[in-house]
Amino acid sequence: MRQVDDPDERIAIPAPSACAGCETPLIEVPVSVVRRRQVFDLAEPPPPQVIEYAADVKCCPGCGKTAIGSFPAGVESAAQYGPDITTKVADAVLGHYIPVHRSTLLVMELCGMKVSTGFAASSRGRAARLLEDGFLPAVRALLARAPVVHADETFARARAKTVFLHVASTAHLTLMHTGDRSAAAIDAGDVLPHLSGVLVRDGYAGYTHLDHVLHAWCGAHLLRDLRGIYEADPEGQLWARAMADTLLEANRLASAARDAGREELTGDELRTIHRLYTGALARSRQDNRSKNTELARHARTLAKRFEEHRDVILRFTTDLAVPFTNNQAERDIRPAKVQQRSSGGCWRTLQGLADFAIIQSYLSTATKWGISRYDALKCLFTTGAWIPHALTPDTAAA
């Protein structure tokens, strides 16, 4: 926080009339310097502003038909809330995941205007309906032609049932939908079946039917799996440590190449990575030969995955546009957990969860483009939904 040159109010504080040490009078002594301190605060919220629109009604003397003045767009009821208070309530409920009743109390305390819980509760459905026709199709079309798309899913509770929330996203786009965990539900988002680039995901087998795209597995998930095996038996599962070190070294090389502006790794770098990878696999066979423990069985299963899916696991080394982890999708889907915790652990209806997915897609995408949640919601409730028209802000500006 920095001081400003033109404060709204300046309160002068005179020096003492006499010296506190020797009691010499100071009234006639000129001021040598002024020390300034500024306090930034808010004024008391003003009372609600009520605007009345009075439409004249006239009766035609010729045919008797009634002529009525046209009310502005959005003015539809005898008494209603305006766009500013609507946006503030929606921002509390939808943008910050505050429960409905608490959001009305917060708005009352901060803005000095009381709104009903019914009005706050209806904001989610109203916002979702405004996004269905324009925003959702536009983002689906953009994601379908993105060179790299992240996908993930997480469970949620709605009407005492387990439902899954799916996400497809990039650094500048987010799209969520609900369903179970089947391949059909994954496809229901109408994005992944149309991809032509790379799909970054975890190792869940539900994505294997998408055979028209190149797959890339999340390195963070693989590192966690390797860590679990290694920490269970550090002396007997050295291969897991070796494989983890291989992935980390490969990521270091790929990151350094990107930072240097290179488009690919050198042949020597790729050969080094594959040599270390092959060595770790060889050590896995040595570490688990003739072992029949449960840990050994898990280790062999994990090692088999690394052996059979080498290209998928190392995709980030052959295509530097592919990141090492699927953190993008995991960050984008995390608000579902925040909302679930603040809502008592579940959604009351499946429609409520579906509406949350639509609105979070909108707010997440807008935030990625540098638009605040409040501004995005105000645009939605006034002029209409903000819609991205390019894969990134840079390409949109160009």
Side-chain angles (χ1 to χ4, degrees):
M1 184 179 294
R2 299 180 183 276
Q3 291 188 342
V4 298
D5 295 329
D6 54 344
D8 298 293
E9 182 180 1
R10 181 175 282 110
I11 300 175
I13 303 176
S17 58
C19 176
C22 64
E23 298 185 354
T24 300
L26 300 176
I27 296 177
E28 302 299 329
V29 177
V31 175
S32 59
V33 68
V34 175
R35 294 184 180 178
R36 302 163 60 232
R37 295 180 181 179
Q38 294 182 348
V39 177
F40 291 72
D41 208 342
L42 295 173
E44 286 292 323
Q49 182 185 37
V50 180
I51 300 174
E52 179 177 281
Y53 296 90
D56 290 339
V57 179
K58 293 185 178 181
C59 183
C60 177
C63 64
K65 187 176 180 180
T66 301
I68 307 173
S70 298
F71 287 101
V75 180
E76 301 169 351
S77 304
Q80 66 180 70
Y81 298 114
D84 285 333
I85 191 65
T86 298
T87 303
K88 285 180 170 58
V89 173
D91 191 30
V93 177
L94 310 178
H96 295 277
Y97 322 113
I98 301 175
V100 169
H101 177 62
R102 285 170 52 197
S103 70
T104 62
L105 298 178
L106 180 65
V107 170
M108 176 63 189
E109 292 170 356
L110 295 182
C111 303
M113 185 169 177
K114 185 177 182 180
V115 298
S116 68
T117 54
F119 174 74
S122 68
S123 62
R124 177 171 286 118
R126 288 186 291 120
R129 302 293 79 76
L130 293 171
L131 293 167
E132 288 177 331
D133 294 334
F135 174 80
L136 293 183
V139 175
R140 287 193 190 101
L142 289 172
L143 283 170
R145 59 186 179 88
V148 178
V149 171
H150 297 256
D152 198 13
E153 74 289 331
T154 189
F155 71 90
R157 298 287 294 173
R159 294 187 63 184
K161 296 180 180 179
T162 298
V163 187
F164 282 86
L165 193 67
H166 297 265
V167 65
S169 66
T170 67
H172 295 98
L173 301 168
T174 302
L175 191 68
M176 296 185 184
H177 72 282
T178 60
D180 54 28
R181 214 181 178 202
S182 65
I186 290 173
D187 291 348
D190 204 24
V191 171
L192 303 190
H194 308 294
L195 295 182
S196 58
V198 178
L199 176 64
V200 184
R201 61 178 181 87
D202 57 24
Y204 175 53
Y207 296 99
T208 55
H209 69 286
L210 299 168
D211 53 7
H212 59 286
V213 297
L214 296 175
H215 292 248
W217 280 5
C218 174
H221 282 79
L222 295 169
L223 289 176
R224 286 196 291 268
D225 293 339
L226 291 168
R227 180 178 179 179
I229 295 295
Y230 174 74
E231 290 186 346
D233 184 6
E235 298 297 327
Q237 299 293 339
L238 288 174
W239 79 273
R241 175 65 181 268
M243 184 62 79
D245 288 343
T246 298
L247 293 180
L248 292 173
E249 174 62 12
N251 182 41
R252 185 191 68 79
L253 292 173
S255 298
R258 290 192 203 95
D259 293 341
R262 292 160 49 194
E263 295 183 356
E264 59 184 15
L265 295 180
T266 65
D268 287 341
E269 289 171 331
L270 290 173
R271 282 189 288 272
T272 297
I273 293 170
H274 282 279
R275 177 176 56 79
L276 294 173
Y277 195 101
T278 301
L281 287 177
R283 183 60 193 240
S284 74
R285 293 187 286 272
Q286 177 182 337
D287 286 347
N288 293 284
R289 184 178 292 117
S290 302
K291 291 182 180 179
N292 293 316
T293 64
E294 183 177 2
L295 176 62
R297 289 193 294 271
H298 285 304
R300 283 193 289 267
T301 298
L302 182 59
K304 185 178 180 181
R305 293 182 69 195
F306 273 91
E307 188 165 5
E308 294 179 348
H309 301 283
R310 179 189 293 227
D311 291 343
V312 173
I313 292 172
L314 294 179
R315 183 79 62 197
F316 69 96
T317 64
T318 56
D319 184 350
L320 296 185
V322 178
F324 177 60
T325 73
N326 195 30
N327 288 350
Q328 181 66 63
E330 294 191 356
R331 286 193 299 267
D332 291 334
I333 209 169
R334 190 170 297 143
K337 300 302 184 185
V338 179
Q339 177 70 74
Q340 186 167 300
R341 286 196 299 269
S342 68
S343 301
C346 68
W347 278 265
R348 292 186 178 182
T349 65
L350 293 173
Q351 186 61 53
L353 177 59
D355 290 345
F356 169 83
I358 294 172
I359 296 164
Q360 188 56 39
S361 300
Y362 177 65
L363 296 179
S364 174
T365 301
T367 301
K368 291 175 178 180
W369 281 63
I371 302 170
S372 71
R373 289 171 295 196
Y374 181 85
D375 289 340
L377 287 169
K378 188 168 185 178
C379 181
L380 177 64
F381 288 118
T382 52
T383 58
W386 166 83
I387 298 176
H389 295 289
L391 287 172
T392 69
D394 294 336
T395 55

